Amino acid sequence: MKNKIPIPTLLTIAAILTLSSCASIPKNAKPVADFHVQRYLGTWYEIARFDFRFEKNLDNTTAQYSLAENGNVKVLNSGYNYKTKEWKSAIGIAKFRGDENIAALKVSFFGPFYSGYNVIAIGSNYEYALIAGKSLDYLWILSRKKSIPDEVKSNYIKMAKDLGYDTSKLIWVKQDKKNPFISEQISVFWIKLDLRLDWGIDTG
């Protein structure tokens, strides 16, 4: 006879999952307000991160965002596993947790399981971004290019430290290969969109 999990145990597991899903941003961290998701779309290079199992042994990592018809954000993450010498990719979906003008989202690569994704700092031209996960165990620095100015780097590190992050754990990601998953169309789209929003140029 197979063992059955008691109903109270199932309820306890459900409660834990519910409580965990509520913890979507570190204490005192605030997502960017007046956020424009259209400007955030396109390709981002990962400059630095806290390592975790889904990005283990990856460098040349990027994230590409595009808008789905239902308003959700499609995510394509990719990177090069320097141990197996293979390119890896994962497709996910991101949704706003509330107001779409607030950069507080949740992202999933595994069906119904979501985790917090919070843009807590962004460049005036959406060229750099500091991303906080659901807790102090998750942190990313992103850039539209494969490098980031020292001043921006120092700024973001200070912001993260002030929130309680141990920034000594940051892994500075190598960006020395051409990523086969990067769509040139997405990159061109971002450049055209940025020009249109910033300067009112009609790019077609």
Side-chain angles (χ1 to χ4, degrees):
M1 186 179 199
K2 292 182 179 179
N3 292 329
K4 293 184 178 180
I5 300 175
I7 289 177
T9 303
L10 291 175
L11 292 175
T12 302
I13 292 171
I16 290 171
L17 289 174
T18 301
L19 287 172
S20 297
S21 65
C22 292
S24 298
I25 188 168
K27 184 180 179 182
N28 298 324
K30 293 182 179 179
V32 168
D34 194 24
F35 180 70
H36 300 279
V37 68
Q38 289 280 356
R39 299 193 68 191
Y40 195 73
L41 303 180
T43 300
W44 290 90
Y45 293 94
E46 192 177 78
I47 301 300
R49 71 170 184 263
F50 277 9
D51 211 14
F52 68 109
R53 62 192 181 103
F54 297 117
E55 288 191 274
K56 195 73 176 173
N57 301 325
L58 294 185
D59 58 23
N60 290 276
T61 39
T62 64
Q64 295 178 78
Y65 302 99
S66 58
L67 208 57
E69 289 182 5
N70 61 3
N72 292 333
V73 177
K74 293 185 286 186
V75 184
L76 171 60
N77 284 352
S78 59
Y80 182 73
N81 188 311
Y82 52 81
K83 288 199 170 179
T84 63
K85 312 298 183 186
E86 294 177 307
W87 286 97
K88 301 290 185 181
S89 68
I91 297 173
I93 195 79
K95 301 179 180 180
F96 284 92
R97 301 201 303 274
D99 190 329
E100 293 187 6
N101 291 321
I102 305 296
L105 298 95
K106 57 182 181 179
V107 65
S108 175
F109 293 89
F110 309 101
F113 302 103
Y114 284 82
S115 187
Y117 179 101
N118 308 280
V119 184
I120 59 173
I122 196 156
S124 59
N125 291 315
Y126 282 58
E127 71 274 54
Y128 319 114
L130 179 63
I131 312 299
K134 66 177 182 177
S135 70
L136 295 178
D137 292 324
Y138 303 92
L139 185 69
W140 294 266
I141 297 175
L142 306 180
S143 173
R144 294 292 189 180
K145 297 181 179 180
K146 293 184 175 184
S147 61
I148 196 167
D150 288 339
E151 182 181 356
V152 176
K153 174 181 170 180
S154 300
N155 242 2
Y156 283 0
I157 289 175
K158 182 181 185 306
M159 287 181 64
K161 280 182 178 177
D162 289 346
L163 290 172
Y165 282 98
D166 178 3
T167 56
S168 68
K169 297 190 330 188
L170 279 169
I171 291 175
W172 296 92
V173 181
K174 285 175 64 176
Q175 293 287 355
D176 61 349
K177 298 183 184 298
K178 184 176 181 179
N179 189 321
F181 290 97
I182 290 181
S183 165
E184 293 300 327
Q185 283 186 324
I186 290 180
S187 298
V188 169
F189 167 77
W190 173 76
I191 294 169
K192 291 173 70 176
L193 181 65
D194 189 61
L195 286 171
R196 187 161 67 246
L197 288 172
D198 278 353
W199 304 105
I201 297 174
D202 184 4
T203 54

